[in-house]
Amino acid sequence: MHEVGIMEQLLAIATEHAHKEGASCIHTIKARVGDLSGVVPEALAFAFDVTAKGTIAEAASFEIERVPAQCYCTTCQQLFQPSTWIHECPHCHEMSHDIRQGKELELISLEIS
Amino acid sequence: MCENCGCANSTGNVHLHTHNAPHLSQPRQVEVQEAILAKNDHLADHLRQKFHQQGILTLNLLSSPGSGKTSLIERTLTDLGLDFSIAVVVGDLETDNDAQRLRGKGASVVQITTGSVCHLEANMVETALAQMNLDGVQLLFIENVGNLVCPAAYDLGESARVVLLSATEGEDKPLKYPTLFKTADVVVLSKMDIAEAVGFDRELAMENVKKIAPQAEILELSARSNLRLGNASIQSRTGLESWYDYLQQRYQMISSKKTSLEAIKPTSEMIFSTLK
Ligand SMILES: Nc1nc2c(ncn2[C@@H]2O[C@H](COP(=O)(O)OP(=O)(O)OP(=O)(O)O)[C@@H](O)[C@H]2O)c(=O)[nH]1
Ligand SMILES: [Zn+2]
Ligand SMILES: [Zn+2]
Ligand SMILES: [Zn+2]
Ligand SMILES: [Zn+2]
Protein backbone atom coordinates (compact mmCIF):
# COMPACT_ATOMS: atom_id res chain seq x y z
CA MET A 1 0.00 0.00 0.00
CA HIS A 2 2.19 2.85 -1.17
CA GLU A 3 -0.86 4.87 -2.19
CA VAL A 4 -0.77 6.64 1.17
CA GLY A 5 2.81 7.73 0.55
CA ILE A 6 1.91 8.86 -2.96
CA MET A 7 -1.06 10.79 -1.57
CA GLU A 8 1.13 12.50 1.02
CA GLN A 9 3.39 13.68 -1.79
CA LEU A 10 0.42 14.83 -3.83
CA LEU A 11 -1.02 16.78 -0.90
CA ALA A 12 2.36 18.33 -0.16
CA ILE A 13 2.55 19.64 -3.73
CA ALA A 14 -1.07 20.79 -3.63
CA THR A 15 -0.63 22.58 -0.32
CA GLU A 16 2.56 24.25 -1.47
CA HIS A 17 0.79 25.58 -4.56
CA ALA A 18 -2.20 26.75 -2.53
CA HIS A 19 0.04 28.61 -0.11
CA LYS A 20 1.99 30.12 -2.93
CA GLU A 21 -1.28 31.45 -4.34
CA GLY A 22 -2.28 32.78 -0.95
CA ALA A 23 -5.24 30.41 -0.73
CA SER A 24 -6.51 28.93 2.48
CA CYS A 25 -8.76 26.24 1.09
CA ILE A 26 -8.54 23.61 -1.63
CA HIS A 27 -11.91 22.74 -3.18
CA THR A 28 -10.95 20.37 -5.94
CA ILE A 29 -7.90 18.29 -6.76
CA LYS A 30 -7.51 16.75 -10.20
CA ALA A 31 -4.96 14.00 -10.66
CA ARG A 32 -3.91 11.90 -13.62
CA VAL A 33 -3.22 8.21 -13.06
CA GLY A 34 -1.93 5.99 -15.84
CA ASP A 35 -2.97 2.36 -16.05
CA LEU A 36 0.70 1.36 -15.92
CA SER A 37 1.62 3.60 -13.01
CA GLY A 38 1.29 0.84 -10.46
CA VAL A 39 -1.18 2.94 -8.51
CA VAL A 40 -4.71 1.66 -7.99
CA PRO A 41 -7.15 4.59 -8.38
CA GLU A 42 -9.56 3.20 -5.78
CA ALA A 43 -6.74 2.84 -3.27
CA LEU A 44 -5.58 6.36 -4.05
CA ALA A 45 -9.07 7.75 -3.49
CA PHE A 46 -9.23 5.89 -0.20
CA ALA A 47 -5.81 7.23 0.75
CA PHE A 48 -7.08 10.73 0.03
CA ASP A 49 -9.95 10.37 2.51
CA VAL A 50 -7.51 9.27 5.19
CA THR A 51 -4.61 11.61 4.45
CA ALA A 52 -6.45 14.86 3.74
CA LYS A 53 -8.07 14.94 7.21
CA GLY A 54 -6.98 18.01 9.11
CA THR A 55 -5.41 19.69 6.06
CA ILE A 56 -6.69 22.57 3.92
CA ALA A 57 -7.79 19.93 1.41
CA GLU A 58 -10.01 18.13 3.88
CA ALA A 59 -13.25 19.12 2.16
CA ALA A 60 -11.91 18.91 -1.36
CA SER A 61 -13.32 16.64 -4.02
CA PHE A 62 -10.67 14.39 -5.43
CA GLU A 63 -10.97 13.59 -9.13
CA ILE A 64 -8.93 11.06 -11.04
CA GLU A 65 -8.40 11.11 -14.78
CA ARG A 66 -7.27 7.69 -15.92
CA VAL A 67 -4.89 7.27 -18.82
CA PRO A 68 -4.93 4.03 -20.80
CA ALA A 69 -1.71 2.35 -21.84
CA GLN A 70 -0.31 3.03 -25.27
CA CYS A 71 2.72 1.37 -26.85
CA TYR A 72 4.68 1.86 -30.02
CA CYS A 73 5.70 -1.01 -32.28
CA THR A 74 9.01 -0.25 -33.97
CA THR A 75 8.46 -2.92 -36.59
CA CYS A 76 5.02 -1.74 -37.72
CA GLN A 77 5.84 1.87 -36.84
CA GLN A 78 2.52 2.45 -35.24
CA LEU A 79 0.89 2.91 -31.87
CA PHE A 80 -1.36 0.33 -30.27
CA GLN A 81 -3.38 0.07 -27.08
CA PRO A 82 -2.54 -3.07 -25.14
CA SER A 83 -5.39 -4.47 -23.08
CA THR A 84 -3.17 -6.28 -20.59
CA TRP A 85 0.34 -5.95 -19.21
CA ILE A 86 1.57 -8.13 -22.05
CA HIS A 87 2.47 -5.51 -24.62
CA GLU A 88 2.27 -7.58 -27.75
CA CYS A 89 1.70 -5.76 -31.02
CA PRO A 90 -1.68 -6.90 -32.41
CA HIS A 91 -0.33 -6.75 -35.97
CA CYS A 92 3.08 -8.43 -35.92
CA HIS A 93 2.87 -10.00 -32.44
CA GLU A 94 6.23 -8.68 -31.42
CA MET A 95 6.68 -7.54 -27.82
CA SER A 96 6.98 -3.81 -27.41
CA HIS A 97 8.87 -2.10 -24.66
CA ASP A 98 8.26 1.40 -25.88
CA ILE A 99 5.54 2.75 -23.62
CA ARG A 100 4.22 6.07 -24.87
CA GLN A 101 1.41 6.57 -22.43
CA GLY A 102 -0.03 5.07 -19.26
CA LYS A 103 2.68 5.64 -16.69
CA GLU A 104 1.40 9.08 -15.60
CA LEU A 105 1.18 9.95 -11.95
CA GLU A 106 0.52 13.66 -11.95
CA LEU A 107 -1.25 16.46 -10.19
CA ILE A 108 -3.13 18.30 -12.93
CA SER A 109 -4.90 21.21 -11.31
CA LEU A 110 -6.47 22.63 -8.19
CA GLU A 111 -9.47 24.74 -7.41
CA ILE A 112 -8.60 26.99 -4.51
CA SER A 113 -9.71 30.07 -2.67
CA MET B 1 24.94 22.04 -9.62
CA CYS B 2 21.67 20.57 -10.69
CA GLU B 3 21.15 20.12 -14.43
CA ASN B 4 17.41 20.31 -14.18
CA CYS B 5 16.86 23.28 -11.98
CA GLY B 6 20.23 24.90 -11.45
CA CYS B 7 20.03 24.49 -7.70
CA ALA B 8 23.35 24.53 -5.94
CA ASN B 9 22.55 21.99 -3.28
CA SER B 10 20.88 18.67 -3.82
CA THR B 11 20.25 17.86 -0.18
CA GLY B 12 16.56 17.48 0.35
CA ASN B 13 15.89 19.48 -2.77
CA VAL B 14 13.76 22.01 -1.02
CA HIS B 15 12.98 24.52 -3.70
CA LEU B 16 11.12 27.03 -1.62
CA HIS B 17 8.83 29.62 -3.05
CA THR B 18 8.54 32.79 -1.08
CA HIS B 19 6.18 35.18 -2.79
CA ASN B 20 2.80 35.74 -1.23
CA ALA B 21 -0.16 36.48 -3.45
CA PRO B 22 -3.02 38.38 -1.85
CA HIS B 23 -5.76 36.18 -0.51
CA LEU B 24 -8.72 35.92 -2.87
CA SER B 25 -12.03 34.57 -1.72
CA GLN B 26 -13.41 33.56 -5.11
CA PRO B 27 -12.60 29.91 -5.95
CA ARG B 28 -10.28 29.76 -8.91
CA GLN B 29 -8.55 27.16 -11.00
CA VAL B 30 -4.78 26.68 -10.81
CA GLU B 31 -2.93 24.54 -13.34
CA VAL B 32 -0.21 22.51 -11.66
CA GLN B 33 0.89 19.76 -14.11
CA GLU B 34 3.47 18.26 -11.82
CA ALA B 35 4.64 14.67 -11.40
CA ILE B 36 3.66 13.50 -7.95
CA LEU B 37 7.00 11.81 -7.41
CA ALA B 38 8.95 14.71 -8.92
CA LYS B 39 10.87 15.30 -5.70
CA ASN B 40 11.97 11.70 -5.47
CA ASP B 41 12.86 11.59 -9.16
CA HIS B 42 14.82 14.80 -8.90
CA LEU B 43 16.84 13.58 -5.95
CA ALA B 44 17.38 10.21 -7.67
CA ASP B 45 18.79 12.05 -10.67
CA HIS B 46 21.21 13.86 -8.39
CA LEU B 47 22.31 10.56 -6.89
CA ARG B 48 22.76 8.97 -10.30
CA GLN B 49 24.88 11.90 -11.40
CA LYS B 50 27.04 11.51 -8.31
CA PHE B 51 27.47 7.75 -8.90
CA HIS B 52 28.33 8.44 -12.51
CA GLN B 53 30.95 11.01 -11.57
CA GLN B 54 32.53 8.70 -9.00
CA GLY B 55 32.41 5.69 -11.30
CA ILE B 56 30.16 3.66 -9.02
CA LEU B 57 27.88 1.00 -10.47
CA THR B 58 24.69 1.09 -8.43
CA LEU B 59 22.18 -1.74 -8.56
CA ASN B 60 18.72 -1.77 -7.02
CA LEU B 61 17.80 -5.32 -5.97
CA LEU B 62 14.12 -6.10 -5.70
CA SER B 63 11.98 -9.17 -5.01
CA SER B 64 9.38 -10.72 -2.75
CA PRO B 65 10.50 -11.29 0.82
CA GLY B 66 12.95 -14.16 1.01
CA SER B 67 13.75 -14.58 -2.69
CA GLY B 68 17.45 -14.47 -1.96
CA LYS B 69 18.59 -10.83 -2.29
CA THR B 70 20.84 -10.88 0.77
CA SER B 71 22.21 -14.32 -0.09
CA LEU B 72 23.15 -13.19 -3.59
CA ILE B 73 24.91 -10.10 -2.25
CA GLU B 74 26.69 -12.24 0.39
CA ARG B 75 27.88 -14.66 -2.23
CA THR B 76 28.99 -11.83 -4.51
CA LEU B 77 30.99 -10.33 -1.64
CA THR B 78 32.68 -13.67 -1.06
CA ASP B 79 33.56 -14.16 -4.72
CA LEU B 80 34.26 -10.59 -5.88
CA GLY B 81 35.22 -8.94 -2.60
CA LEU B 82 38.92 -9.03 -3.45
CA ASP B 83 38.49 -7.62 -6.94
CA PHE B 84 35.96 -4.94 -6.17
CA SER B 85 35.37 -2.46 -3.44
CA ILE B 86 31.71 -3.08 -2.60
CA ALA B 87 29.24 -1.16 -0.48
CA VAL B 88 25.72 -2.18 0.45
CA VAL B 89 22.62 -0.29 1.56
CA VAL B 90 19.97 -2.62 2.96
CA GLY B 91 16.35 -1.72 3.47
CA ASP B 92 14.12 -3.71 5.79
CA LEU B 93 10.92 -2.98 7.63
CA GLU B 94 12.49 -4.05 10.92
CA THR B 95 15.78 -5.53 12.26
CA ASP B 96 19.31 -5.19 10.96
CA ASN B 97 19.79 -8.94 10.49
CA ASP B 98 20.60 -8.57 6.81
CA ALA B 99 23.22 -5.91 7.50
CA GLN B 100 24.80 -8.10 10.16
CA ARG B 101 25.00 -10.98 7.70
CA LEU B 102 26.76 -8.73 5.20
CA ARG B 103 29.21 -7.11 7.60
CA GLY B 104 32.37 -9.07 8.15
CA LYS B 105 32.35 -9.97 4.48
CA GLY B 106 34.48 -6.92 3.82
CA ALA B 107 31.81 -4.53 2.61
CA SER B 108 30.69 -1.33 4.21
CA VAL B 109 27.04 -1.77 5.01
CA VAL B 110 24.39 0.69 6.07
CA GLN B 111 20.99 -0.52 7.19
CA ILE B 112 17.84 1.47 6.58
CA THR B 113 15.00 0.42 8.83
CA THR B 114 11.90 1.79 7.21
CA GLY B 115 9.42 1.00 9.99
CA SER B 116 6.07 1.02 8.24
CA VAL B 117 7.28 2.21 4.84
CA CYS B 118 7.16 -0.70 2.42
CA HIS B 119 9.79 0.51 -0.06
CA LEU B 120 12.94 2.62 -0.22
CA GLU B 121 12.87 6.21 -1.44
CA ALA B 122 15.72 8.28 -2.81
CA ASN B 123 15.97 10.46 0.29
CA MET B 124 16.45 7.38 2.50
CA VAL B 125 19.30 6.26 0.27
CA GLU B 126 20.82 9.72 0.39
CA THR B 127 20.67 9.71 4.20
CA ALA B 128 22.22 6.24 4.33
CA LEU B 129 25.03 7.24 1.98
CA ALA B 130 25.88 10.20 4.18
CA GLN B 131 26.93 7.65 6.82
CA MET B 132 29.20 5.87 4.41
CA ASN B 133 32.56 6.59 2.85
CA LEU B 134 32.08 6.12 -0.87
CA ASP B 135 35.70 6.89 -1.79
CA GLY B 136 36.98 4.10 -3.98
CA VAL B 137 33.71 2.21 -3.94
CA GLN B 138 33.07 0.50 -7.27
CA LEU B 139 29.88 -1.46 -6.71
CA LEU B 140 26.95 -0.30 -4.65
CA PHE B 141 24.12 -2.72 -3.98
CA ILE B 142 20.85 -1.35 -2.71
CA GLU B 143 18.74 -4.16 -1.30
CA ASN B 144 15.18 -2.89 -1.38
CA VAL B 145 12.47 -3.91 1.06
CA GLY B 146 11.08 -7.35 0.17
CA ASN B 147 7.96 -6.30 -1.74
CA LEU B 148 6.90 -6.79 -5.34
CA VAL B 149 4.52 -3.85 -5.52
CA CYS B 150 5.49 -0.60 -3.89
CA PRO B 151 9.23 -0.23 -4.68
CA ALA B 152 8.47 -0.20 -8.42
CA ALA B 153 7.60 3.49 -8.60
CA TYR B 154 10.64 4.82 -6.74
CA ASP B 155 13.80 5.65 -8.61
CA LEU B 156 16.80 5.42 -6.28
CA GLY B 157 19.39 6.72 -8.71
CA GLU B 158 20.46 3.21 -9.69
CA SER B 159 21.85 2.39 -13.11
CA ALA B 160 20.13 -0.97 -13.23
CA ARG B 161 17.27 -2.77 -11.55
CA VAL B 162 17.69 -6.41 -10.70
CA VAL B 163 14.48 -8.29 -9.93
CA LEU B 164 14.77 -11.74 -8.34
CA LEU B 165 12.27 -14.52 -8.85
CA SER B 166 13.01 -17.61 -6.78
CA ALA B 167 12.22 -21.16 -7.79
CA THR B 168 10.00 -21.58 -4.74
CA GLU B 169 7.56 -18.79 -5.51
CA GLY B 170 5.92 -19.95 -8.71
CA GLU B 171 6.36 -19.29 -12.40
CA ASP B 172 3.49 -16.84 -12.69
CA LYS B 173 4.91 -14.09 -10.46
CA PRO B 174 5.70 -11.83 -13.45
CA LEU B 175 2.08 -12.06 -14.60
CA LYS B 176 0.74 -11.38 -11.10
CA TYR B 177 3.10 -8.50 -10.33
CA PRO B 178 3.77 -6.96 -13.74
CA THR B 179 4.48 -3.41 -12.55
CA LEU B 180 7.79 -4.30 -11.00
CA PHE B 181 8.91 -6.80 -13.64
CA LYS B 182 8.15 -4.21 -16.32
CA THR B 183 10.90 -2.01 -14.90
CA ALA B 184 13.59 -4.71 -14.66
CA ASP B 185 16.91 -4.52 -16.45
CA VAL B 186 17.80 -7.98 -15.24
CA VAL B 187 15.59 -10.76 -13.94
CA VAL B 188 17.44 -13.31 -11.85
CA LEU B 189 15.84 -16.72 -11.44
CA SER B 190 17.21 -17.57 -8.01
CA LYS B 191 17.50 -20.74 -5.90
CA MET B 192 17.82 -22.78 -9.07
CA ASP B 193 19.63 -25.50 -7.08
CA ILE B 194 16.25 -26.56 -5.73
CA ALA B 195 14.23 -25.89 -8.89
CA GLU B 196 13.78 -29.55 -9.69
CA ALA B 197 12.91 -30.51 -6.14
CA VAL B 198 10.12 -27.94 -5.96
CA GLY B 199 8.87 -28.66 -9.49
CA PHE B 200 9.76 -25.23 -10.84
CA ASP B 201 9.00 -24.98 -14.55
CA ARG B 202 11.98 -23.01 -15.79
CA GLU B 203 10.75 -22.69 -19.38
CA LEU B 204 7.39 -21.38 -18.29
CA ALA B 205 8.98 -18.89 -15.90
CA MET B 206 11.22 -17.59 -18.69
CA GLU B 207 8.28 -17.33 -21.05
CA ASN B 208 6.36 -15.30 -18.47
CA VAL B 209 9.28 -13.00 -17.83
CA LYS B 210 9.68 -12.40 -21.57
CA LYS B 211 5.99 -11.57 -21.91
CA ILE B 212 6.08 -8.86 -19.25
CA ALA B 213 9.69 -7.73 -19.48
CA PRO B 214 10.94 -8.29 -23.04
CA GLN B 215 13.72 -5.78 -22.33
CA ALA B 216 15.21 -7.67 -19.42
CA GLU B 217 18.24 -9.90 -19.48
CA ILE B 218 17.45 -13.20 -17.77
CA LEU B 219 20.01 -14.93 -15.57
CA GLU B 220 19.52 -18.12 -13.59
CA LEU B 221 21.63 -19.02 -10.64
CA SER B 222 21.98 -20.38 -7.17
CA ALA B 223 23.69 -18.45 -4.43
CA ARG B 224 24.50 -21.79 -2.82
CA SER B 225 26.18 -23.79 -5.54
CA ASN B 226 28.19 -23.43 -8.71
CA LEU B 227 25.35 -24.64 -10.82
CA ARG B 228 25.94 -24.88 -14.54
CA LEU B 229 22.73 -23.89 -16.24
CA GLY B 230 21.29 -23.53 -19.67
CA ASN B 231 23.14 -25.67 -22.20
CA ALA B 232 25.03 -27.60 -19.58
CA SER B 233 28.26 -28.13 -21.45
CA ILE B 234 31.39 -28.14 -19.32
CA GLN B 235 32.62 -24.96 -20.99
CA SER B 236 29.49 -22.95 -20.31
CA ARG B 237 29.55 -20.37 -17.57
CA THR B 238 27.91 -21.12 -14.26
CA GLY B 239 24.92 -19.01 -13.27
CA LEU B 240 27.01 -17.06 -10.80
CA GLU B 241 29.73 -16.48 -13.36
CA SER B 242 27.16 -15.00 -15.74
CA TRP B 243 26.05 -12.71 -12.95
CA TYR B 244 29.64 -11.61 -12.34
CA ASP B 245 30.12 -11.13 -16.07
CA TYR B 246 27.12 -8.86 -16.09
CA LEU B 247 28.48 -6.83 -13.15
CA GLN B 248 31.93 -6.55 -14.78
CA GLN B 249 30.42 -5.45 -18.06
CA ARG B 250 28.20 -2.80 -16.49
CA TYR B 251 31.01 -1.63 -14.27
CA GLN B 252 33.31 -1.18 -17.26
CA MET B 253 30.68 0.96 -18.92
CA ILE B 254 30.47 3.24 -15.92
CA SER B 255 34.12 3.41 -15.01
CA SER B 256 35.33 4.06 -18.54
CA LYS B 257 33.85 7.57 -18.15
CA LYS B 258 33.18 7.59 -21.84
CA THR B 259 29.65 6.46 -21.18
CA SER B 260 27.18 9.27 -20.85
CA LEU B 261 24.85 9.62 -17.92
CA GLU B 262 21.98 9.03 -20.35
CA ALA B 263 23.36 5.64 -21.35
CA ILE B 264 23.49 4.27 -17.82
CA LYS B 265 19.91 5.09 -16.94
CA PRO B 266 17.86 2.05 -16.00
CA THR B 267 14.88 0.83 -17.98
CA SER B 268 12.62 2.05 -15.20
CA GLU B 269 13.68 5.61 -15.97
CA MET B 270 12.19 5.24 -19.40
CA ILE B 271 9.05 3.81 -17.86
CA PHE B 272 8.30 6.00 -14.89
CA SER B 273 9.15 9.46 -16.06
CA THR B 274 6.58 11.40 -17.95
CA LEU B 275 6.64 14.80 -16.31
CA LYS B 276 9.85 15.80 -14.59
N1 LIG C 1 18.46 -23.45 -1.77
C1 LIG C 1 18.71 -22.16 -1.82
N2 LIG C 1 18.29 -21.36 -0.82
C2 LIG C 1 18.58 -20.05 -0.89
C3 LIG C 1 19.27 -19.49 -1.97
N3 LIG C 1 19.38 -18.15 -1.79
C4 LIG C 1 18.77 -17.89 -0.61
N4 LIG C 1 18.30 -19.03 -0.06
C5 LIG C 1 17.59 -19.16 1.24
O1 LIG C 1 16.37 -18.42 1.19
C6 LIG C 1 16.13 -17.77 2.42
C7 LIG C 1 15.94 -16.28 2.22
O2 LIG C 1 17.10 -15.74 1.63
P1 LIG C 1 17.53 -14.23 1.80
O3 LIG C 1 18.80 -14.06 1.06
O4 LIG C 1 17.50 -13.82 3.22
O5 LIG C 1 16.33 -13.52 1.03
P2 LIG C 1 16.02 -11.93 0.93
O6 LIG C 1 15.44 -11.72 -0.41
O7 LIG C 1 17.22 -11.16 1.29
O8 LIG C 1 14.90 -11.78 2.04
P3 LIG C 1 14.29 -10.41 2.67
O9 LIG C 1 15.42 -9.48 2.92
O10 LIG C 1 13.60 -10.86 3.90
O11 LIG C 1 13.31 -9.89 1.65
C8 LIG C 1 17.31 -18.10 3.31
O12 LIG C 1 16.96 -19.17 4.15
C9 LIG C 1 18.38 -18.50 2.33
O13 LIG C 1 19.31 -19.39 2.87
C10 LIG C 1 19.71 -20.37 -3.03
O14 LIG C 1 20.31 -19.98 -4.03
N5 LIG C 1 19.39 -21.68 -2.89
ZN1 LIG D 1 3.18 -1.00 0.18
ZN1 LIG E 1 4.01 -4.64 -34.81
ZN1 LIG F 1 18.12 20.30 -8.11
ZN1 LIG G 1 17.42 -9.63 2.68
Side-chain angles (χ1 to χ4, degrees), chain A residues 1-2, chain B residues 118 147 150:
Chain A
M1 252 299 277
H2 64 306
Chain B
C118 47
N147 179 339
C150 312

PDB file of all heavy atoms in Angstrom, chain A residues 1-2, chain B residues 118 147 150, ligand 2:
ATOM      1  N   MET A   1       0.834  -1.223   0.000  1.00  0.00           N
ATOM      2  CA  MET A   1       0.000   0.000   0.000  1.00  0.00           C
ATOM      3  C   MET A   1       0.857   1.257   0.000  1.00  0.00           C
ATOM      4  O   MET A   1       1.025   1.896   1.023  1.00  0.00           O
ATOM      5  CB  MET A   1      -0.892  -0.013   1.260  1.00  0.00           C
ATOM      6  CG  MET A   1      -2.369  -0.286   0.999  1.00  0.00           C
ATOM      7  SD  MET A   1      -3.165   0.915  -0.052  1.00  0.00           S
ATOM      8  CE  MET A   1      -3.540   2.209   1.156  1.00  0.00           C
ATOM      9  N   HIS A   2       1.412   1.608  -1.151  1.00  0.00           N
ATOM     10  CA  HIS A   2       2.194   2.845  -1.167  1.00  0.00           C
ATOM     11  C   HIS A   2       1.337   4.023  -1.597  1.00  0.00           C
ATOM     12  O   HIS A   2       1.825   5.131  -1.740  1.00  0.00           O
ATOM     13  CB  HIS A   2       3.431   2.705  -2.030  1.00  0.00           C
ATOM     14  CG  HIS A   2       3.137   2.463  -3.476  1.00  0.00           C
ATOM     15  ND1 HIS A   2       2.330   1.447  -3.904  1.00  0.00           N
ATOM     16  CD2 HIS A   2       3.524   3.111  -4.592  1.00  0.00           C
ATOM     17  CE1 HIS A   2       2.250   1.474  -5.226  1.00  0.00           C
ATOM     18  NE2 HIS A   2       2.964   2.479  -5.667  1.00  0.00           N
TER      19      HIS A   2
ATOM     20  N   CYS B 118       6.984   0.597   3.062  1.00  0.00           N
ATOM     21  CA  CYS B 118       7.163  -0.702   2.423  1.00  0.00           C
ATOM     22  C   CYS B 118       8.129  -0.682   1.248  1.00  0.00           C
ATOM     23  O   CYS B 118       8.184  -1.615   0.470  1.00  0.00           O
ATOM     24  CB  CYS B 118       5.806  -1.191   1.974  1.00  0.00           C
ATOM     25  SG  CYS B 118       4.887   0.091   1.114  1.00  0.00           S
ATOM     26  N   ASN B 147       9.304  -6.768  -1.381  1.00  0.00           N
ATOM     27  CA  ASN B 147       7.962  -6.305  -1.739  1.00  0.00           C
ATOM     28  C   ASN B 147       7.923  -6.193  -3.261  1.00  0.00           C
ATOM     29  O   ASN B 147       8.784  -5.560  -3.854  1.00  0.00           O
ATOM     30  CB  ASN B 147       7.752  -4.928  -1.086  1.00  0.00           C
ATOM     31  CG  ASN B 147       6.393  -4.302  -1.381  1.00  0.00           C
ATOM     32  OD1 ASN B 147       5.722  -4.648  -2.342  1.00  0.00           O
ATOM     33  ND2 ASN B 147       5.999  -3.361  -0.546  1.00  0.00           N
ATOM     34  N   CYS B 150       5.241  -2.017  -4.151  1.00  0.00           N
ATOM     35  CA  CYS B 150       5.495  -0.605  -3.885  1.00  0.00           C
ATOM     36  C   CYS B 150       6.846  -0.054  -4.366  1.00  0.00           C
ATOM     37  O   CYS B 150       6.903   1.096  -4.796  1.00  0.00           O
ATOM     38  CB  CYS B 150       5.309  -0.324  -2.409  1.00  0.00           C
ATOM     39  SG  CYS B 150       3.763  -1.028  -1.794  1.00  0.00           S
TER      40      CYS B 150
HETATM   41 ZN    ZN C   2       3.176  -1.000   0.176  1.00  0.00          ZN
END
